[in-house]
Amino acid sequence: MNLEKQIKEYIATQPEPKRGDMQQLHHIIMALMPTCKLWFLDGKDEKGKTVSNPNIGYGSHTIKYANGKTKEFYQIGVSANTTGISVYIMGVNDKKYLTQTFGREIGKASVTGYCIKFRTLTDIKIDVLKAAIQHGFKQTSIQH
């Protein structure tokens, strides 16, 4: 099954209003980065055991580990969770940046070092979420 079909099916399995919100979020991110690489992670490890919620990834950057190894991974991730939606903003080195920059402005959301979690899109200011996503794309596009 191709990537876009997997993403479409994953979004389609979500109950409303989460399904509509995830579809809208997918369109928002694709409008911000129309040529970005798409990812779909089903949440299973190599043995088929579920280790996380499935998630959609956008963009690509290289993660550098302390032992010198590298791995290609997405820049922005979106996942349904039990209470709503999580948006992962990868590669932000300052773990207080998202909270300090977007936490007070975004609305009803939990903001951590790399994750913005909310119940529905109507609970947050979409323009603030877009700014956080754009920051994530920009941060991980800079060659360190």
Side-chain angles (χ1 to χ4, degrees):
M1 183 183 321
N2 79 23
L3 221 55
E4 292 193 23
K5 191 171 182 183
Q6 283 179 300
I7 291 168
K8 201 174 200 175
E9 285 188 8
Y10 171 59
I11 292 172
T13 64
Q14 302 305 314
E16 285 296 355
K18 195 181 299 184
R19 180 184 324 134
D21 284 352
M22 287 188 71
Q23 188 65 55
Q24 187 178 349
L25 198 49
H26 179 67
H27 289 302
I28 288 168
I29 296 170
M30 292 306 298
L32 292 172
M33 293 292 289
T35 60
C36 72
K37 177 178 180 174
L38 287 175
W39 303 64
F40 181 74
L41 304 177
D42 64 6
K44 296 182 184 346
D45 66 11
E46 52 283 338
K47 294 176 185 159
K49 182 180 176 217
T50 300
V51 293
S52 71
N53 289 331
N55 53 85
I56 304 165
Y58 304 87
S60 176
H61 80 287
T62 302
I63 297 173
K64 294 181 181 108
Y65 294 100
N67 65 5
K69 291 188 178 184
T70 61
K71 173 183 170 182
E72 183 186 11
F73 203 61
Y74 56 71
Q75 293 167 283
I76 305 295
V78 173
S79 179
N81 61 53
T82 53
T83 59
I85 299 170
S86 295
V87 176
Y88 304 100
I89 301 181
M90 309 307 288
V92 178
N93 293 327
D94 179 353
K95 296 301 172 206
K96 294 178 183 172
Y97 183 82
L98 289 179
T99 307
Q100 291 173 344
T101 308
F102 305 106
R104 284 189 286 279
E105 300 289 320
I106 198 159
K108 280 178 61 179
S110 161
V111 183
T112 66
Y114 68 94
C115 181
I116 298 172
K117 193 186 308 187
F118 50 90
R119 197 184 255 330
T120 67
L121 285 175
T122 57
D123 287 341
I124 63 165
K125 293 181 181 171
I126 293 174
D127 59 329
V128 176
L129 180 63
K130 281 184 187 179
I133 290 168
Q134 286 173 312
H135 174 77
F137 276 129
K138 190 173 152 194
Q139 279 299 114
T140 50
S141 295
I142 299 168
Q143 298 302 316
H144 295 283

